[in-house]
Amino acid sequence: MPRRRELALGLVAVASVALTACSSSSSSQGACSDVGAIGGIQVTLPPVARTASGEITVKACAGSDCETHRGQLSSGPGSTPIVGSRLHGPDPVRVSLVIHDHAGHLLFSGSTSVTPQKDQPNGAGCPPTVWVGHVVASGTSTMTSKPLAD
């Protein structure tokens, strides 16, 4: 069943992620669709980051794959960086998040372990296959792994 993920990135810089889609592949169920997918860990930022005035710096890591974003967040709960786009399987990965305000004051610092889940938006036997996870940050140091919504 195709999944549609809308990710609102209110940060200035966004890492480029390759989208893969199948065109002429086929599965045992028939022709594959052309739905692409983004692999990695979705990190929902804590309220303290969304209410900070001025520019913030967000550093999110999945294992040794880190991304740093600087800028002002758009208001709303959906600001979510994606990290660890090079995940290749279900092995648990350590996800960490550090956020500083414009003056360099620490707003958030936390980490947790996430077990990525296989996502095949075009069905079994059709590319792409990506590994994904979701972490929600809250308070000033709590990170919780959450199941992905279908």
Side-chain angles (χ1 to χ4, degrees), residues 15-102:
S16 64
V17 179
L19 294 178
T20 307
C22 62
S23 56
S24 62
S25 301
S26 62
S27 72
S28 60
Q29 301 168 343
C32 295
S33 63
D34 283 338
V35 176
I38 298 172
I41 305 296
Q42 175 183 356
V43 181
T44 300
L45 300 179
V48 67
R50 295 188 303 268
T51 58
S53 62
E55 184 176 277
I56 64 170
T57 301
V58 176
K59 181 177 181 181
C61 299
S64 62
D65 189 6
C66 295
E67 297 178 17
T68 300
H69 302 276
R70 289 179 184 82
Q72 275 189 295
L73 289 179
S74 59
S75 61
S79 298
T80 55
I82 299 292
V83 294
S85 60
R86 294 184 291 259
L87 298 175
H88 298 293
D91 295 331
V93 62
R94 193 84 185 152
V95 177
S96 62
L97 179 68
V98 177
I99 303 172
H100 290 93
D101 69 9
H102 68 285

Side-chain angles (χ1 to χ4, degrees), residues 118-139:
K118 182 192 277 190
D119 185 20
Q120 294 177 297
N122 297 307
C126 291
T129 296
V130 295
W131 294 90
V132 295
H134 182 202
V135 174
V136 176
S138 60

